[in-house]
Amino acid sequence: MRVGRSLGVSLLPLFLGLVLFAASLTPSLIPRAWAVQGALGGLVAALGYMIGRLLLTLWRALELPMLRGRAALYGHLIAAIPVLMALVLCLGHARGWQNGIRSRMGMELIDTIDVPNMVLVAVTVLAVLLLLGGLVQGAFDRLRARLYRHMPRRTANVAGLLIVIVALTIGTRDGVLDRVVRALDESYTTAQELFDTAPPAPADPRTPGSAASLVDWGSMGQPGRNFVTGGPDGAAIAAFSGRPAKNPIRVYVGLAEADTAEARADRALEELIRLGGFDRKVLIVAMPTGTGWLDPGSFDVVEYMQDGDIASVAVQYSYLQSPLALLLETRAGLDQARALIRAVHRHWRSLPRDSRPRLYIHGLSLGAWASMYGTDLFSLLDSPINGALWAGPPFPSARWNEAMAERNPGTPYVAPQVGESRLIRFASHTQDAGGAQGWGDMRLMFLQYSSDPIVFYEPASFWRPPVWMREAPAPDVSPDLTFTPVVTQFQLVVDMILATSAPAGHGHSYYARDYIGPWVAVTDPEGWTQADSDRLAAHCNRGFQQGCDNG
């Protein structure tokens, strides 16, 4: 009887954990190495075990019959057979599933999966999580035992559970989590090379951060310095196009420049005016990613197609990586985007309509999310911007979700069409941007890869498949991808963590070549042809890792 009761408590939850572990071996959007797969498998196995324990607890609370003795033993043996079969089957297919993704992304195929080490990692993670769960359970048991002396058992159970939850929340939020965030923030701040550790300032007075500049070079940070000193100059652009070209203007203000979003935005505007940014044909207001990085491939291509007659301005709002900034510094990016766009738009609309530049908004990843928020279309009705290009918009982006909700029936979720494509268009590595014709007064473009989990993560995937999983798979998505409750949620979370490890043109690794069509469609460069786009794509193919200026 005792053995049967013990088996009833431990083995059935363990079987459920093994089933979830087997399901975690199925493919998702981004290829996984064996160590990552082991950690993922251990995590979902622990969740399966926990769910199984909760179900057993509920079963006993309802006083439903339990198998005991020999019947329990036979029942567990029968249940173990399909579980082990599923586990062996999934382990046998794991390499093929991962190679299925890798082949669609043009990656080198793997010969084998290190199953012993993967299982070792999974068992280690499972053991650690079960140990932590046991410690929490022990604390709860001791606490409610004390509460039994002062209140009814049911009330003591509820009160004890609430106290443990509150204690864990406060302990992780104000203890471990705070220390981790502080350490990450300090490490990323150090990597920025601020002030005393900054390299020498540029001598050219036309470069932000120089002695003549209104922007402090030391506060700009490494991402900002790379942005303002990188990219093609007029000579490189002229050599490519065969036409006279100007040196593009790039303005960047670092987070350490001023204490408030408004002050940083005003400083950026003053520097943009000093450099003559409002005298150019095109003006781009951009928001960087969490660390302050701006994708050189995006800016390089549009500077080539505009013959350098273009200015770009950006302001930093965080030192953290984008996922951390999204979770921990949500308001910082939104407030900075709104302050910068308002400041630039206010000055821009004060200029004569026939002599001011065409104004566009741009951002990648968290920069797209922030700049979408800062682009208040209602407040711009009297003087609307000319358009926007948002690449890799994160799934919480309100404006992206609104656009997706308006997609035409029958169009793919990962490559939708909205209305007659006069206001909003979607482009990807497999879907053309539609060219510069057929637009209305404003042009809003989303660039998104079908294998990008930052875009297509779905919080509800814990219990139901995302819309795109119910449609035919995109060219770089495995046809073997299937939905499993609980497991799919954590597969996609891991995919988001690994999103930038995908090859260029897949996942969250946006490729300079794929910006060309969207920028042509949005900015309609004068005299530009498809042959020019093809030449620029070839130019980027030779040097896309650093943008297109070194091609």
Side-chain angles (χ1 to χ4, degrees), residues 438-454:
W439 287 95
D441 294 333
M442 188 184 299
R443 307 179 179 199
L444 304 180
M445 176 72 72
F446 295 96
L447 173 62
Q448 56 191 36
Y449 292 157
S450 52
S451 56
D452 188 350
I454 302 295

Side-chain angles (χ1 to χ4, degrees), residues 13-26 37 40-52 83 87 90 484-488 490-491:
L14 181 61
F15 290 162
L16 180 57
L18 289 176
V19 168
L20 296 192
F21 171 78
S24 75
L25 295 166
T26 60
Q37 176 59 58
L40 171 63
L43 172 62
V44 298
L47 287 171
Y49 187 84
M50 180 187 73
I51 293 171
V83 171
L87 187 59
C90 290
T484 304
V486 180
V487 174
T488 297
F490 288 93
Q491 285 179 321

Side-chain angles (χ1 to χ4, degrees), residues 234-266:
I237 296 172
F240 170 82
S241 66
R243 299 184 296 267
K246 298 179 179 180
N247 291 325
I249 295 172
R250 294 186 177 189
V251 173
Y252 188 100
V253 170
L255 178 60
E257 180 75 31
D259 293 333
T260 67
E262 290 74 16
R264 292 188 291 270
D266 290 342

Side-chain angles (χ1 to χ4, degrees), residues 288-299:
T289 62
T291 59
W293 181 76
L294 293 154
D295 188 351
S298 173
F299 291 90

Side-chain angles (χ1 to χ4, degrees), residues 121-165:
V121 171
V123 170
T124 302
V125 171
L126 174 62
V128 170
L129 292 177
L130 291 182
L131 175 61
L132 293 175
L135 293 175
V136 173
Q137 178 68 49
F140 170 63
D141 290 340
R142 286 191 292 272
L143 177 61
R144 66 178 177 171
R146 289 179 177 273
L147 294 176
Y148 287 160
R149 305 171 187 173
H150 309 287
M151 60 186 70
R153 294 178 67 89
R154 183 173 298 178
T155 304
N157 289 339
V158 174
L161 179 62
L162 291 176
I163 292 172
V164 169
I165 292 174

Side-chain angles (χ1 to χ4, degrees), residues 66-126:
M66 298 281 293
L67 292 177
R68 301 180 184 279
R70 190 179 299 273
L73 178 62
Y74 290 153
H76 290 121
L77 290 176
I78 293 172
I81 293 173
V83 171
L84 294 177
M85 289 177 62
L87 187 59
V88 171
L89 181 66
C90 290
L91 284 171
H93 283 82
R95 180 180 67 87
W97 284 333
Q98 291 302 310
N99 278 338
I101 313 173
R102 298 174 75 90
S103 64
R104 285 167 174 79
M105 293 186 175
M107 301 173 66
E108 182 180 355
L109 303 185
I110 56 176
D111 295 326
T112 184
I113 287 182
D114 193 343
V115 174
N117 281 324
M118 179 187 69
V119 172
L120 178 61
V121 171
V123 170
T124 302
V125 171
L126 174 62

Side-chain angles (χ1 to χ4, degrees), residues 218-474:
S219 71
M220 196 179 294
Q222 187 64 40
R225 290 191 288 268
N226 289 342
F227 177 67
V228 300
T229 58
D233 59 14
I237 296 172
F240 170 82
S241 66
R243 299 184 296 267
K246 298 179 179 180
N247 291 325
I249 295 172
R250 294 186 177 189
V251 173
Y252 188 100
V253 170
L255 178 60
E257 180 75 31
D259 293 333
T260 67
E262 290 74 16
R264 292 188 291 270
D266 290 342
R267 187 65 52 82
L269 174 62
E270 293 167 359
E271 181 72 353
L272 191 62
I273 295 172
R274 181 186 79 85
L275 295 175
F278 290 93
D279 298 325
R280 295 300 174 98
K281 184 191 303 181
V282 169
L283 172 58
I284 295 175
V285 180
M287 289 301 294
T289 62
T291 59
W293 181 76
L294 293 154
D295 188 351
S298 173
F299 291 90
D300 292 357
V301 296
V302 71
E303 289 171 348
Y304 273 104
M305 65 181 62
Q306 295 296 336
D307 292 330
D309 195 3
I310 181 173
S312 302
V313 58
V315 175
Q316 186 180 27
Y317 53 88
S318 174
Y319 297 126
L320 296 175
Q321 293 282 357
S322 288
L324 292 172
L326 177 62
L327 293 172
L328 305 171
E329 295 181 337
T330 303
R331 291 302 315 176
L334 303 182
D335 292 344
Q336 187 61 76
R338 175 156 290 185
L340 178 61
I341 293 172
R342 280 180 174 175
V344 173
H345 184 261
R346 187 183 304 116
H347 181 80
W348 174 80
R349 73 181 179 185
S350 71
L351 303 175
R353 290 180 179 268
D354 58 353
S355 61
R356 67 191 185 192
R358 285 178 284 144
L359 179 60
Y360 300 95
I361 309 298
H362 177 50
L364 165 66
S365 189
L366 193 56
W369 182 62
S371 61
M372 271 186 268
Y373 174 86
T375 308
D376 185 347
L377 298 180
F378 182 78
S379 68
L380 303 179
L381 287 177
D382 61 332
S383 297
I385 61 173
N386 295 90
L389 171 55
W390 292 306
F395 67 93
S397 305
R399 184 148 293 120
W400 177 83
N401 280 285
E402 291 168 359
M404 294 294 288
E406 297 298 322
R407 70 188 178 103
N408 297 342
T411 59
Y413 190 81
V414 296
Q417 293 180 353
V418 177
E420 298 179 354
S421 301
R422 289 179 54 80
L423 173 62
I424 298 173
R425 293 184 188 176
F426 290 83
S428 72
H429 52 329
T430 58
Q431 174 170 299
D432 185 77
Q437 305 305 315
W439 287 95
D441 294 333
M442 188 184 299
R443 307 179 179 199
L444 304 180
M445 176 72 72
F446 295 96
L447 173 62
Q448 56 191 36
Y449 292 157
S450 52
S451 56
D452 188 350
I454 302 295
V455 178
F456 294 112
Y457 170 77
E458 171 57 66
S461 61
F462 194 90
W463 65 85
R464 70 182 183 196
V467 175
W468 52 270
M469 288 187 69
R470 302 196 291 267
E471 300 178 345

Side-chain angles (χ1 to χ4, degrees), residues 491-511:
Q491 285 179 321
L492 294 178
V493 169
V494 171
D495 284 344
M496 286 197 290
I497 297 172
L498 301 176
T500 56
S501 69
H506 303 280
H508 203 58
S509 298
Y510 285 82
Y511 190 7

